[in-house]
C-alpha cells in the first residue's frame, strides 16, 4: 500500500475507499499471470493444447474453454503464435466475448476493436460466418487490428476507422454489440506501472464522458432483442456503474445477470455520495484478488 501511495497518492486515496484490503493492494502490484487463447478458426483445441504441453505448463481458465494460463512470456519464439494458433490475451479480457455469445450468421459490431484480441475471439465463436464490423478511432491502431485479423484467419470482419458515436445513425441494426470502452486502465497496472504513475482524476472524468456517449450510441445501433456488452479494464465507478446507470436512466435498456464460474466483488451502488440503480447489482465487477487477474468490469444489456 505504501508503495502505491508513494507512486501516486491521489490514486491510493481514491481506490482505498473502494477496497482497502491488503490482498487487493498486494495483487494490484503483483506481476500478471500470462494467459493465451487457442484459435479454433485454425485448429482444434486438443491439437494445439497437446503441442503446447510438450514445452509448457497449461492451466485451464474456468470461464473460457479455449483459454489457458501458461508459464511463458516469450511469444516471439513460439511457432504457434507465429502461425496464429494462439493469441496472448489476459484471462479476464476473455470474459466480454463469452458474455456476448455471438452466433454464426449474426451481424456484430465491435465498437473499439483494436488490437483485436476480442474481435478474433468473436470471429471464433461465429465460426467465420456472418459479419463483424471491427471499428477503431485511430488509423495506426486499425492497422494493428488488420494484421491480427489476418494472422488469426478471420474472414468475416470489415475494419472501419470512425469515432464510435458515428454508429448511432445505424439505428436498430446490429444483433450484438461489444463496447470494450477506452478507459483509465486501472486494471492494467499489473502489466505496467505507467498506468499508475500516469493516472489522474481528470482522465477518469474525461473517459467517463466519452463512455457515456459511446454506450448511448451503441444502444441506439442495437436491434430490439439484441445484446450489448459494455466492458472496461478499470475499477472506477465513474467509468463502470455510473456509465451503466446513465444508460438505464436515458433509455429502456435492461440489464441481465452474468453467470460464469469465477469470483467477483459486489458492484458499487453508492460512491462519493452518488447513488446508482439497484439494477447495477447484475454487473460483474472483478478485482485483482478475486481470480488473480487484471481488474475488470462487464455489463450485459438487452434491448427490449
Amino acid at each position: 500500500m505504501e508503495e502505491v501511495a508513494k507512486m501516486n497518492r491521489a490514486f491510493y486515496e481514491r481506490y482505498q475507499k473502494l477496497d482497502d484490503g491488503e490482498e487487493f493492494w498486494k495483487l494490484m502490484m503483483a506481476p500478471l499471470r500470462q494467459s493465451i487463447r487457442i484459435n479454433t478458426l485454425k485448429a482444434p483445441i486438443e491439437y494445439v493444447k497437446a503441442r503446447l504441453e510438450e514445452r509448457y505448463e497449461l492451466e485451464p481458465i474456468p470461464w473460457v474453454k479455449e483459454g489457458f494460463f501458461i508459464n511463458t512470456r516469450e511469444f516471439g519464439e513460439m511457432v504457434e503464435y507465429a502461425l496464429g494458433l494462439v493469441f496472448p490475451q489476459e484471462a479476464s479480457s476473455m470474459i466480454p466475448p463469452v458474455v456476448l455469445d455471438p452466433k454464426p450468421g449474426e451481424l456484430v459490431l465491435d465498437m473499439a476493436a483494436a488490437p483485436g484480441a476480442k474481435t478474433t475471439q468473436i470471429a471464433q465463436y461465429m465460426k467465420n460466418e456472418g459479419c463483424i464490423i471491427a471499428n477503431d478511432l485511430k488509423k495506426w491502431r486499425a492497422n494493428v487490428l488488420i494484421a491480427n485479423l489476418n494472422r488469426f484467419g478471420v474472414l468475416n470482419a470489415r475494419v472501419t476507422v470512425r469515432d464510435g458515436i458515428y454508429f448511432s445513425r445505424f439505428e436498430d441494426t446490429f444483433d450484438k454489440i461489444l463496447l470494450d470502452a477506452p478507459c483509465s486502465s486501472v486494471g492494467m497496472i499489473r502489466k505496467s506501472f505507467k498506468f499508475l504513475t500516469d493516472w489522474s482524476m481528470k482522465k477518469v472524468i474525461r473517459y467517463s464522458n466519452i463512455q457515456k456517449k459511446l454506450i448511448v450510441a451503441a444502444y441506439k445501433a442495437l436491434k430490439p432483442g439484441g445484446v450489448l456488452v459494455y466492458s472496461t479494464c478499470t475499477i472506477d465507478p465513474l467509468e463502470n456503474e455510473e456509465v451503466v446507470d446513465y444508460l438505464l436512466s436515458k433509455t429502456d435498456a435492461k440489464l441481465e445477470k452474468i453467470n460464469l464460474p469465477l469470483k467477483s466483488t459486489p458492484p458499487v451502488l453508492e460512491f462519493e455520495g452518488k447513488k446508482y440503480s439497484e439494477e447495477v447489482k447484475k454487473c460483474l465487477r472483478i478485482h485483482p484478488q478475486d481470480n488473480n487477474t487484471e481488474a475488470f468490469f462487464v455489463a450485459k444489456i438487452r434491448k427490449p
Side-chain angles (χ1 to χ4, degrees):
M1 291 190 194
E2 285 164 20
E3 195 185 344
V4 180
K6 272 183 202 159
M7 290 171 85
N8 192 329
R9 177 151 290 279
F11 178 96
Y12 173 70
E13 285 172 358
R14 180 164 180 80
Y15 296 124
Q16 60 94 25
K17 292 181 214 162
L18 263 188
D19 197 328
D20 60 359
E22 197 178 319
E23 199 65 7
F24 170 76
W25 290 103
K26 191 174 126 191
L27 276 164
M28 185 67 104
M29 303 295 279
L32 200 55
R33 283 194 290 175
Q34 189 59 58
S35 49
I36 55 158
R37 177 174 45 79
I38 291 174
N39 177 21
T40 52
L41 290 175
K42 288 205 164 181
I45 294 173
E46 289 312 317
Y47 171 76
V48 182
K49 184 171 173 272
R51 279 185 61 118
L52 292 171
E53 281 176 332
E54 290 170 12
R55 286 162 292 144
Y56 308 107
E57 287 168 28
L58 299 185
E59 182 196 326
I61 296 170
W63 51 89
V64 51
K65 65 179 186 294
E66 310 85 12
F68 298 88
F69 293 108
I70 188 167
N71 63 334
T72 184
R73 292 177 190 280
E74 304 305 319
F75 291 103
E77 57 196 44
M78 185 190 279
V79 70
E80 291 83 0
Y81 171 62
L83 293 170
L85 295 171
V86 302
F87 202 118
Q89 186 178 354
E90 205 282 319
S92 57
S93 100
M94 298 181 201
I95 296 169
V98 172
V99 173
L100 190 68
D101 192 24
K103 304 285 188 216
E106 288 183 331
L107 178 59
V108 177
L109 171 62
D110 189 350
M111 207 179 219
K118 295 179 188 73
T119 322
T120 59
Q121 193 178 349
I122 288 168
Q124 193 170 330
Y125 297 158
M126 292 171 75
K127 298 178 180 167
N128 260 337
E129 293 170 26
C131 181
I132 304 165
I133 303 299
N135 179 68
D136 207 87
L137 176 60
K138 293 188 167 72
K139 205 169 186 175
W140 70 268
R141 283 172 60 86
N143 287 335
V144 176
L145 171 62
I146 290 165
N148 278 328
L149 295 177
N150 286 338
R151 181 171 355 149
F152 289 87
V154 175
L155 305 174
N156 66 333
R158 295 291 299 270
V159 173
T160 57
V161 180
R162 300 276 185 179
D163 185 321
I165 295 161
Y166 166 84
F167 290 92
S168 64
R169 69 188 63 194
F170 300 103
E171 213 165 327
D172 299 342
T173 297
F174 295 91
D175 297 297
K176 306 262 168 80
I177 298 176
L178 173 62
L179 171 55
D180 185 50
C183 70
S184 61
S185 304
V186 170
M188 290 175 71
I189 286 167
R190 297 185 68 176
K191 268 193 191 134
S192 170
F193 284 162
K194 84 177 171 71
F195 294 109
L196 171 58
T197 51
D198 291 354
W199 180 92
S200 70
M201 199 57 224
K202 199 173 161 183
K203 278 186 183 172
V204 170
I205 292 163
R206 189 176 91 235
Y207 278 122
S208 180
N209 291 331
I210 292 167
Q211 291 152 354
K212 285 172 184 171
K213 288 174 187 165
L214 288 173
I215 201 170
V216 168
Y219 188 73
K220 251 188 191 166
L222 189 67
K223 267 184 190 171
V227 170
L228 161 64
V229 169
Y230 174 79
S231 60
T232 72
C233 57
T234 189
I235 57 168
D236 203 295
L238 281 188
E239 299 180 75
N240 293 332
E241 288 88 352
E242 173 145 332
V243 174
V244 173
D245 179 80
Y246 177 81
L247 180 72
L248 295 177
S249 70
K250 297 284 179 196
T251 66
D252 58 354
K254 298 280 179 272
L255 282 184
E256 290 189 2
K257 185 98 179 110
I258 298 166
N259 294 308
L260 288 174
L262 46 71
K263 291 178 184 165
S264 61
T265 294
V268 175
L269 294 178
E270 188 175 351
F271 191 67
E272 296 185 323
K274 187 149 191 187
K275 290 186 176 172
Y276 303 123
S277 162
E278 287 278 324
E279 280 292 294
V280 302
K281 277 185 185 168
K282 293 175 180 170
C283 298
L284 195 58
R285 168 179 273 276
I286 296 168
H287 287 194
Q289 73 274 23
D290 293 333
N291 311 283
N292 190 6
T293 63
E294 273 183 4
F296 229 81
F297 179 87
V298 188
K300 184 182 182 184
I301 299 147
R302 195 173 288 276
K303 194 178 209 175

